[in-house]
Amino acid sequence: METSFKQEVFTIKKGEKSKKHIIEQSAMLMNQHGFLATPLSEIVEATGMQKGGIYNHFKDKEELALLAFDQCCSVIQQYIEDALHLKTSGTDRIIAFIEVYSTFGENPTIPGGCPIMNASIEADDGQSAKLLERAQSAMQHLIHFLKDEITGGIANKELRPDIDPQKTATLIMSTIEGGILLNKLFNDRFHITTVQNHLKDYIKNELSIN
């Protein structure tokens, strides 16, 4: 019985490892070619798994797409946490956020650009309400994160007390995403660099208490 239990545990761990591998490989692929549009044949090739092996872990392709999107967002979250880790002031943390998020249009660790933008565009045609909800939730999380940072900056008397944190967070995220879109559309860093510099000046010169 003990041997059987150990075998069962080994099988579960092996299955979890295989599932994690499929999600991680599919995430990078789907962010480039579409979370819904990527053919299963490409997923099979990228993961080295057979079709049957993939469907042993996922109910359908949509479930894999949702988990792949979540994986992309986890990578983004880790990059943001790393960038803000040693920043102590609210102003520095917001600027660090702007700097790191501005790279997501061309960061080689996340090939294909910003996954939230990609998923929202792809799901907007009604193919997957669940994917659209995932993208909305991810963006709401980022806006809420910025809102909290701005609120903290006001409380610490680093930022002006008359600032509306929600509106300011929305403005920052909208501007960055617009820059990422133009960068992707024209393959020219001028756009995202302009956005980044403008937002940093905006934080330092208009929102900060000098």
Side-chain angles (χ1 to χ4, degrees):
M1 183 178 293
E2 183 179 350
T3 302
S4 177
F5 175 75
K6 287 181 179 180
Q7 289 176 340
E8 183 178 347
V9 171
F10 174 76
T11 301
I12 292 173
K13 288 184 177 180
K14 184 179 179 181
E16 291 174 349
K17 186 177 180 180
S18 296
K19 183 175 183 179
K20 184 174 183 289
H21 169 74
I22 294 169
I23 292 171
E24 289 177 345
Q25 296 302 312
S26 298
M28 300 301 103
L29 183 68
M30 288 179 162
N31 196 45
Q32 297 176 78
H33 305 294
F35 290 97
L36 305 173
T38 300
L40 186 60
S41 58
E42 292 186 14
I43 297 172
V44 167
E45 182 178 354
T47 60
M49 303 282 292
Q50 295 300 314
K51 179 179 177 180
I54 292 174
Y55 282 126
N56 279 337
H57 297 286
F58 308 98
K59 180 179 65 176
D60 51 30
K61 187 182 167 187
E62 183 182 44
E63 181 185 11
L64 174 56
L66 295 176
L67 292 172
F69 173 76
D70 290 345
Q71 171 63 23
C72 289
C73 291
S74 294
V75 173
I76 282 180
Q77 182 176 342
Q78 188 59 56
Y79 263 89
I80 292 172
E81 289 177 359
D82 290 345
L84 273 59
H85 177 61
L86 297 177
K87 306 298 182 182
T88 55
S89 76
T91 302
D92 287 345
R93 287 175 64 83
I94 295 169
I95 290 175
F97 177 92
I98 292 168
E99 289 176 339
V100 71
Y101 203 91
S102 297
T103 70
F104 292 146
E106 54 191 5
N107 193 317
T109 309
I110 316 172
C114 176
I116 301 175
M117 179 184 295
N118 293 339
S120 63
I121 292 172
E122 186 178 14
D124 191 46
D125 61 5
Q127 287 190 58
S128 174
K130 291 180 180 179
L131 181 60
L132 183 59
E133 288 173 2
R134 271 306 212 280
Q136 290 171 338
S137 178
M139 182 53 69
Q140 286 172 349
H141 174 78
L142 289 171
I143 292 174
H144 186 75
F145 175 83
L146 267 179
K147 177 185 174 182
D148 285 348
E149 292 293 335
I150 294 165
T151 301
I154 294 171
N156 292 333
K157 295 181 170 44
E158 298 175 58
L159 301 177
R160 290 182 4 228
D162 59 330
I163 296 170
D164 185 317
Q166 179 68 39
K167 290 181 180 180
T168 305
T170 298
L171 173 65
I172 291 172
M173 283 308 309
S174 300
T175 306
I176 298 174
E177 287 288 3
I180 290 174
L181 175 61
L182 290 177
N183 184 49
K184 186 174 184 177
L185 182 63
F186 294 106
N187 191 29
D188 187 344
R189 291 208 84 257
F190 167 80
H191 305 285
I192 193 62
T193 300
T194 299
V195 162
Q196 188 183 77
N197 291 337
H198 170 75
L199 286 175
K200 288 162 69 174
D201 287 342
Y202 173 65
I203 300 298
K204 292 177 182 177
N205 301 324
E206 296 190 42
L207 301 188
S208 297
I209 296 176
N210 299 318

